[in-house]
Amino acid sequence: MSSRIKGVLSPVVTPFKQDLSVDLERFTAQCRWLQSKHVGLAFLGTNSEANSISPDERMDMIDALIEGDVDPRGMMPGTGACDLPTVVRLTRRAVQSGCAGVLMLPPFYYKGVSDEGLYRYYSEVIQRVGDARLRIYLYHIPPVAQVPITLTLIERLLRDYPEIVAGVKDSSGDWSNTQAMLERFAPAGFDVFAGSETFLLQTLRHGGAGCISATANVNAAAIHALYSHWQEADADARQQKLDTVRQIFQSFPMIPALKAAIAHWSGIGDWSRVRPPLVELDAGQHARLIQQLEAVEFSIALRG
Amino acid sequence: MSSRIKGVLSPVVTPFKQDLSVDLERFTAQCRWLQSKHVGLAFLGTNSEANSISPDERMDMIDALIEGDVDPRGMMPGTGACDLPTVVRLTRRAVQSGCAGVLMLPPFYYKGVSDEGLYRYYSEVIQRVGDARLRIYLYHIPPVAQVPITLTLIERLLRDYPEIVAGVKDSSGDWSNTQAMLERFAPAGFDVFAGSETFLLQTLRHGGAGCISATANVNAAAIHALYSHWQEADADARQQKLDTVRQIFQSFPMIPALKAAIAHWSGIGDWSRVRPPLVELDAGQHARLIQQLEAVEFSIALRG
């Protein structure tokens, strides 16, 4: 974990077989395809249904990519969990596999917990993993986790673990919060990732590291193109086109919509499957999604 | 799982050793003590820090009680998890161990999920466990899980699994919701447990099954006495005394306060330990808690 991961990362959606088990082969192929589009693998994230997947299965997914010769330097798996033994176990495996970093949710069952308690949690994980190669990206997603990563918490963790606490993914959807993180911590080398490409250009203009975005599952090349060309004259136009596609996906339940689009353009219906408590799009939603995407000339080239 | 569990149950607080591992011996002894007070064991609940304990550790806790000859007919372990494989694994073990039932949280990571998704989740668990002895108590605790168990969901589950979906624990803190559950489902034999003894008398007067309450960890005998004597003249006076003790505990962070009280009256300081993200009471809080409890002549007789 010596060189820092930057750019556009995708919380890779997880393919399930008919019995709801993880389709490791299809998952590995999807990760290879994303890497071919220069997109990093933030697999086992929120959009991967990571918390609907057991710790053992999550271990198997890390192992499958490594055994499938997917480059771990492009990987930032989610290893967060409500309990310490699980997060330590997953994180240790990620570090030993050579992953560039790990994306770590706060423990999200108890609400209203203190920064002191969250500090102890992260600190305990770092000490138990006990590996200087560890790079943690804190995962701030208050609309889902309900437990925030505050600026005060980041400050304290950075003071005590300046190398290991490497960055943050801000999925608050609140640009003023992303901006505050950028202003306070980016100058010292802390990598701030926007939680969606909606804020990619703004984030890069304020010294951020990139974005980790659901729609990088389906719009990988175009999002990466903005990352590569953000200092050029057409950057705002590129951002606007990304926003149009994003808004369509956002008007449906996001995870089922991502999977429906992949199912449609791959011709593999199995891709639309989700684990409960999520529910796949119904036929009407599916048709409207594809129609709206085609109206903006969007499609996914899943081969090549 | 033939005869239904009723009465007062305790979400048993979990003792941790200095390295934060579960102290199985102390845990077993505590469960024996609670059973001697006629209190059922809803261990691995919210107040047990269940979600701060890994699936493997939770399995070990079920096994430890069985191996320690604690009567499984008095047990209703929490087996809920965000992922299906874990909840199925834990639930299967509980059923095979002869537990009276299991208390099952909804999957609590994703927010705003549909009743359809929650129905599929519970239905999938029931089918995968595939054991007619299974008795599920749905766990409605919106202030923490943020994902509610609605009346509509209960109705649908009861229609399709009338034997297996056996009851609910209502920790909403909203009496009108408990009352609605009692009115709609109790007459058909659905067991409604109040989420705290605050509503015990009201619940019993409306045909409920009892309560599953944090403070049953520390006030077991008195809460059970109300359950046994609720039709007698002094029931309201008993309820009032319970409320006084409850209010003291509620004015502190509940789990650390329960553990601090047990630590105080057992003389075993280790009892105050919690896992992050929770934080134990500080010295001032600890002193105030004990002082307030002593002022109402409260104490815990942990022996005999």
Side-chain angles (χ1 to χ4, degrees):
Chain A
M1 292 194 175
S2 56
S3 78
R4 290 286 188 90
I5 190 168
K6 309 234 176 188
V8 178
L9 287 86
S10 168
V12 188
V13 287
T14 306
F16 297 115
K17 297 184 187 176
Q18 199 169 0
D19 65 359
L20 294 182
S21 64
V22 178
D23 188 332
L24 291 172
E25 204 174 323
R26 184 161 288 152
F27 169 65
T28 306
Q30 189 71 1
C31 287
R32 273 203 207 96
W33 175 76
L34 284 163
Q35 277 199 337
S36 79
K37 301 290 175 199
H38 314 288
V39 163
L41 306 174
F43 64 105
L44 289 174
T46 297
N47 288 283
S48 318
E49 300 169 74
N51 288 298
S52 304
I53 300 172
S54 76
D56 287 347
E57 291 174 311
R58 288 182 239 173
M59 293 288 275
D60 291 343
M61 288 171 72
I62 299 174
D63 292 350
L65 293 187
I66 299 300
E67 284 157 20
D69 284 326
V70 181
D71 189 349
R73 291 170 301 177
M75 293 183 197
M76 187 198 288
T79 60
C82 292
D83 71 271
L84 279 172
T86 296
V87 65
V88 169
R89 179 177 170 224
L90 290 168
T91 304
R92 201 175 273 154
R93 182 67 66 107
V95 174
Q96 288 165 352
S97 303
C99 293
V102 296
L103 187 58
M104 203 177 286
L105 278 169
F108 53 84
Y109 182 64
Y110 295 107
K111 306 305 184 294
V113 294
S114 63
D115 273 359
E116 171 65 24
L118 293 174
Y119 173 83
R120 289 188 193 184
Y121 174 89
Y122 281 112
S123 181
E124 194 70 33
V125 172
I126 292 167
Q127 309 227 1
R128 287 181 185 224
V129 173
D131 194 313
R133 295 170 298 174
L134 173 62
R135 295 290 173 272
I136 292 178
Y137 295 84
L138 304 165
Y139 189 3
H140 179 55
I141 182 167
V144 185
Q146 308 271 338
V147 175
I149 308 285
T150 65
L151 299 176
T152 319
L153 175 62
I154 296 174
E155 192 160 54
R156 188 167 166 202
L157 285 168
L158 266 180
R159 189 193 61 204
D160 294 349
Y161 305 103
E163 290 300 308
I164 285 170
V165 177
V168 72
K169 173 185 180 186
D170 183 4
S171 293
S172 65
D174 171 8
W175 169 250
S176 69
N177 186 67
T178 312
Q179 197 170 9
M181 287 176 168
L182 284 161
E183 284 169 5
R184 284 180 63 169
F185 307 119
F190 184 76
D191 289 328
V192 177
F193 289 87
S196 91
E197 77 277 23
T198 312
F199 299 113
L200 177 56
L201 190 52
Q202 273 174 293
T203 296
L204 295 171
R205 283 176 176 159
H206 286 76
C211 72
I212 304 174
S213 177
T215 39
N217 275 292
V218 291
N219 205 13
I223 302 176
H224 181 259
L226 171 57
Y227 176 75
S228 301
H229 302 288
W230 71 273
Q231 286 170 304
E232 295 171 22
D234 61 351
D236 286 288
R238 284 184 190 272
Q239 178 70 63
Q240 212 166 7
K241 277 182 87 170
L242 296 184
D243 292 348
T244 305
V245 172
R246 171 103 196 169
Q247 277 153 19
I248 294 172
F249 279 99
Q250 275 189 174
S251 67
F252 295 88
M254 178 61 87
I255 299 169
L258 295 171
K259 288 186 150 181
I262 296 172
H264 177 79
W265 274 288
S266 67
I268 300 165
D270 280 355
W271 258 116
S272 30
R273 198 169 287 125
V274 291
R275 277 193 181 179
L278 300 188
V279 174
E280 68 286 348
L281 298 191
D282 64 32
Q285 289 174 312
H286 184 101
R288 279 198 304 284
L289 170 71
I290 302 304
Q291 188 185 26
Q292 289 177 28
L293 288 170
E294 284 177 341
V296 297
E297 290 173 6
F298 175 89
S299 73
I300 313 175
L302 280 154
R303 298 282 164 270
Chain B
M1 290 195 177
S2 57
S3 78
R4 292 286 187 89
I5 189 169
K6 309 234 177 189
V8 178
L9 286 86
S10 168
V12 188
V13 288
T14 307
F16 297 116
K17 297 184 186 175
Q18 199 169 359
D19 65 358
L20 294 181
S21 63
V22 178
D23 188 333
L24 291 172
E25 204 175 321
R26 184 160 289 154
F27 169 64
T28 306
Q30 188 71 2
C31 286
R32 273 202 209 97
W33 175 76
L34 285 163
Q35 277 199 336
S36 79
K37 301 289 174 200
H38 313 288
V39 163
L41 306 174
F43 64 106
L44 289 173
T46 297
N47 288 283
S48 317
E49 299 169 74
N51 288 297
S52 304
I53 299 173
S54 76
D56 288 347
E57 290 174 312
R58 287 181 239 174
M59 293 287 274
D60 291 344
M61 288 169 71
I62 298 173
D63 292 350
L65 293 188
I66 300 300
E67 285 158 21
D69 285 326
V70 181
D71 188 349
R73 291 170 301 176
M75 294 185 198
M76 188 200 286
T79 59
C82 292
D83 71 272
L84 280 173
T86 296
V87 66
V88 169
R89 180 178 168 224
L90 290 167
T91 303
R92 202 175 274 153
R93 182 67 65 105
V95 175
Q96 288 165 353
S97 303
C99 292
V102 296
L103 187 58
M104 203 178 287
L105 279 169
F108 53 85
Y109 182 64
Y110 295 106
K111 306 305 183 292
V113 294
S114 63
D115 273 358
E116 170 67 23
L118 293 174
Y119 173 83
R120 289 187 192 183
Y121 174 90
Y122 281 111
S123 179
E124 195 72 33
V125 172
I126 292 167
Q127 309 227 0
R128 287 179 185 223
V129 172
D131 194 313
R133 295 170 297 174
L134 173 61
R135 295 290 174 272
I136 292 178
Y137 296 83
L138 304 165
Y139 190 2
H140 179 55
I141 181 168
V144 184
Q146 308 271 335
V147 175
I149 308 286
T150 65
L151 299 177
T152 318
L153 176 63
I154 296 174
E155 192 158 54
R156 189 167 166 201
L157 285 169
L158 265 179
R159 190 193 61 204
D160 294 349
Y161 304 104
E163 288 301 308
I164 285 170
V165 176
V168 71
K169 175 185 179 186
D170 184 3
S171 292
S172 65
D174 171 7
W175 169 249
S176 69
N177 187 67
T178 311
Q179 196 170 9
M181 287 175 168
L182 284 161
E183 284 169 5
R184 283 179 65 168
F185 307 118
F190 184 75
D191 289 327
V192 176
F193 289 87
S196 91
E197 76 278 22
T198 312
F199 300 113
L200 177 56
L201 190 52
Q202 273 174 292
T203 296
L204 294 172
R205 284 176 177 161
H206 286 76
C211 73
I212 304 174
S213 177
T215 38
N217 275 290
V218 290
N219 204 13
I223 302 176
H224 180 260
L226 171 57
Y227 176 75
S228 301
H229 302 287
W230 72 273
Q231 287 168 304
E232 295 172 22
D234 60 352
D236 286 287
R238 285 182 189 273
Q239 178 70 61
Q240 212 165 8
K241 278 183 89 169
L242 297 184
D243 292 348
T244 306
V245 172
R246 171 102 195 168
Q247 277 153 20
I248 294 172
F249 279 99
Q250 275 190 171
S251 66
F252 295 88
M254 180 59 89
I255 299 168
L258 295 171
K259 288 185 150 182
I262 296 172
H264 177 79
W265 274 287
S266 67
I268 300 165
D270 280 355
W271 258 117
S272 30
R273 198 169 286 125
V274 291
R275 276 193 181 179
L278 301 188
V279 174
E280 69 286 349
L281 298 191
D282 65 31
Q285 289 173 312
H286 184 102
R288 278 198 304 284
L289 170 70
I290 302 304
Q291 188 185 24
Q292 289 177 30
L293 288 170
E294 284 176 343
V296 298
E297 290 171 8
F298 174 89
S299 73
I300 312 175
L302 280 153
R303 298 283 163 269

